[in-house]
Amino acid sequence: MRERNTRFEMRFAGSGGQGVILCSIILAEAAFLAGKRVAQSQSYGPEARGGLCRAELVIDEKEITYPKVTQPNFLLALTQASLDKFGANTAEDALILMDKSLLEPDDLGSYNVVALPILHTASRVVGKPMTANIVAVGAINELMSIAPEEEMREAVKMHIPKGTEEINMLALSEGTKLGASAKWTVALP
């Protein structure tokens, strides 16, 4: 009998300064708090702010023997350049979560694409554009059930500046609402 695959690979991409790396760190922390094994990595383009950056996360119930993402089951794209570069480099049945402002490339036809107003929600609903990564965390967790709400809230609080808890909890809540509105969910293997 073949053992079921419990490994899940995630890629987060956007522009330097959007917080995609922190997004992956928070999700890794929450998964760890929920009892899963995680491996997180990141890379920046030649420019720290404004250049393309990405982070990767492997989540597994078992020991992670190879910590790098080879073919992600999930992609978060917050910029057009990141969607264009990484969109077609995912597993066949991958979930691609993109900001609603992006134009979907023609070659994403076989993927599960969810477009949500992440950037708009951060700037117009929460009132702080820099909370887009926390809005994304809420949406991703709602779509993928990475960790229970309490662990997710704890992970966010561990990685945000003191004094910003209220605005970040609002961003997390608004992101959760966005994820719920997508009516598309997947549980990690």
Side-chain angles (χ1 to χ4, degrees):
M1 183 154 118
R2 192 168 167 212
E3 194 174 317
R4 86 176 171 95
N5 183 18
T6 59
R7 181 183 174 97
F8 198 80
E9 299 184 356
M10 304 175 80
R11 181 170 288 144
F12 308 83
S15 178
Q18 286 186 308
V20 295
I21 291 173
L22 182 57
C23 178
S24 72
I25 291 169
I26 290 170
L27 288 165
E29 188 79 51
F32 178 78
L33 291 171
K36 298 172 182 152
R37 297 185 183 195
V38 298
Q40 189 272 341
S41 62
Q42 64 227 14
S43 68
Y44 303 87
E47 314 87 12
R49 249 189 213 286
L52 190 64
C53 72
R54 76 167 188 229
E56 296 179 336
L57 174 59
V58 176
I59 300 174
D60 204 334
E61 292 173 8
K62 298 183 266 180
E63 180 181 357
I64 296 173
T65 56
Y66 185 70
K68 295 290 186 185
V69 169
T70 56
Q71 194 171 36
N73 310 97
F74 172 84
L75 169 67
L76 169 67
L78 291 182
T79 64
Q80 193 67 49
S82 62
L83 180 61
D84 294 343
K85 181 168 184 169
F86 299 114
N89 186 23
T90 58
E92 190 174 301
D93 58 348
L95 169 61
I96 296 178
L97 173 58
M98 58 184 253
D99 187 72
K100 194 171 187 165
S101 66
L102 306 183
L103 302 173
E104 187 177 321
D106 294 334
D107 58 349
L108 295 183
S110 66
Y111 300 107
N112 301 303
V113 179
V114 174
L116 297 175
I118 295 166
L119 301 175
H120 173 83
T121 300
S123 63
R124 304 295 178 152
V125 179
V126 179
K128 296 277 186 194
M130 65 184 157
T131 63
N133 58 344
I134 306 301
V135 172
V137 164
I140 293 165
N141 195 50
E142 184 66 23
L143 291 168
M144 306 184 73
S145 304
I146 291 171
E149 182 181 351
E150 188 56 40
E151 280 85 352
M152 190 57 66
R153 293 173 66 82
E154 183 180 342
V156 170
K157 288 178 183 176
M158 292 169 72
H159 294 282
I160 57 171
K162 297 288 182 218
T164 66
E165 294 85 0
E166 186 176 336
I167 196 79
N168 280 291
M169 289 303 107
L170 174 60
L172 184 65
S173 175
E174 291 300 324
T176 301
K177 289 177 192 174
L178 284 180
S181 75
K183 306 225 184 311
W184 191 93
T185 58
V186 64
L188 294 181

